[in-house]
Amino acid sequence: MEPLKLGLIGLGTVATGVASVLHKNQQTIVRRIRQTPIIERVYVRSLERENPYNLNLTTNIDEIINHSDIDIVIELIGGIEPALSYIKTALTNGKSVITANKELIAKYGTELLALAEENGVFLRFEAAVAGGIPILKSLREGLAANEIDTVMGIINGTTNYILTEMSSKGSDFALCLKEAQAHGYAEADPTFDIEGIDAAHKLTILASTAFGIPLQFDAVYTEGITQISAEDITIARTEGFAIKHLGIAKKSEQGVELRVHPTLVPLTHPFAQVHGVLNGIFIQGNAVGEQFMSGRGAGSEATASAVIADLIEIAHNQTAQYSAPALGFDSHQLMEAPIIQSSQFESRYYINCQCSAKTDLKALSERLAEMASETLRSAFKIKIYDENHSVIILTAKTIEENVEKLMNNAMLNEGVVNTKSIRIEMF
Ligand code: HSE
């Protein structure tokens, strides 16, 4: 059989991983698809660069997206433009495309999938979510019999690395971020990681694949981790929780919640055991029950593993009568669902009222208990942390408005210098 000719756009960490894995696992891959995948050409901006696999480099993008030699285009440059134009041209020219570009799929996925369908080719993006964890394929195929009502995940390795280091070594936030950048985990613009934007891109894709709804990045409520202190992590641990940055998608009769924020999770839940740059994903299906997957969410060969799985799927699809659509549903089967506004999200909360050193914490906690019983009107726990000069309130399920009211009232008390809240997720 003819070789399967690949055109790569970009030669960074993931592209190098693709070359490496194709090389070291070639025999198995060929056995699976009965074709030999060959990296025919790689588009780079400059030829003056390292080329450890001695690949055929070009600075002319047309030699990839407009050339009859290339069967499948693999886009690994990230960002919106020029990646969007390159992918559109490749699809229009009848080439299937694989990308790891979460921002692009979260924002333009619907349009690009329609373009792929029109041209009878495939667009796949397993590597865009949770690196090497095959979560999209699991949702659209392995779990296809289920109504999925919850998908949540630690889906950003950089923030998980930072929170893990802060928790285990008490390290400073800025230092941990620098280390994550040095390891190559962080995005080109690390605010995408620490402000939750990267996780929101991934959650958009996860939710559409799980629920069969259109991709809608703008509907995701997003908070980052910059407000989390080592002190919060220590107090949470004393209360039996770890602090993790979660992407959460829930579906109910009322609609769909799409949110990304720091979350207290019980120390006994598998999320609490997902350390460092690892990712973890929890799924609840109405036939299968609860599932948990964890693994490397970033890195060269782990992400390449997902890219090459897409390659193998496309190679199979090209000879199949039917293939599962990228989101598990054809575009005309995607159904709109009402998006629940963040003011209506119900959650338990951790509230930290930070005080000046001389505050009478006992008297304050009594006043706060009174306020909390008025505002929350249901069970909550209140506790003094003398050495942190803090009074901690753990609430029952409530809406954000009640928490804000309580925090504003708490600020009116002498000695209270700051209040902050973090949501709690119970399982
Ligand atoms: N910056 C991303 C992360 C890379 O830290 O998870 C993988 O998508």
Side-chain angles (χ1 to χ4, degrees), residues 84-116:
L84 179 61
S85 306
Y86 293 168
I87 291 180
K88 280 184 177 172
T89 306
L91 293 172
T92 309
N93 282 337
K95 299 182 193 311
S96 289
V97 173
I98 298 166
T99 176
N101 192 331
K102 48 244 159 155
E103 182 182 9
L104 188 78
I105 296 300
K107 293 181 178 167
Y108 296 92
T110 308
E111 176 185 338
L112 292 174
L113 284 167
L115 188 61

Side-chain angles (χ1 to χ4, degrees), residues 100 102 127-128 130-131 155-159 184-187 193 198 202 277 279 297-299 303:
K102 48 244 159 155
I155 46 180
N156 181 272
T158 300
T159 46
Y185 306 147
E187 294 303 301
D193 297 295
D198 176 75
K202 294 166 178 165
V277 73
N279 282 196
T303 311

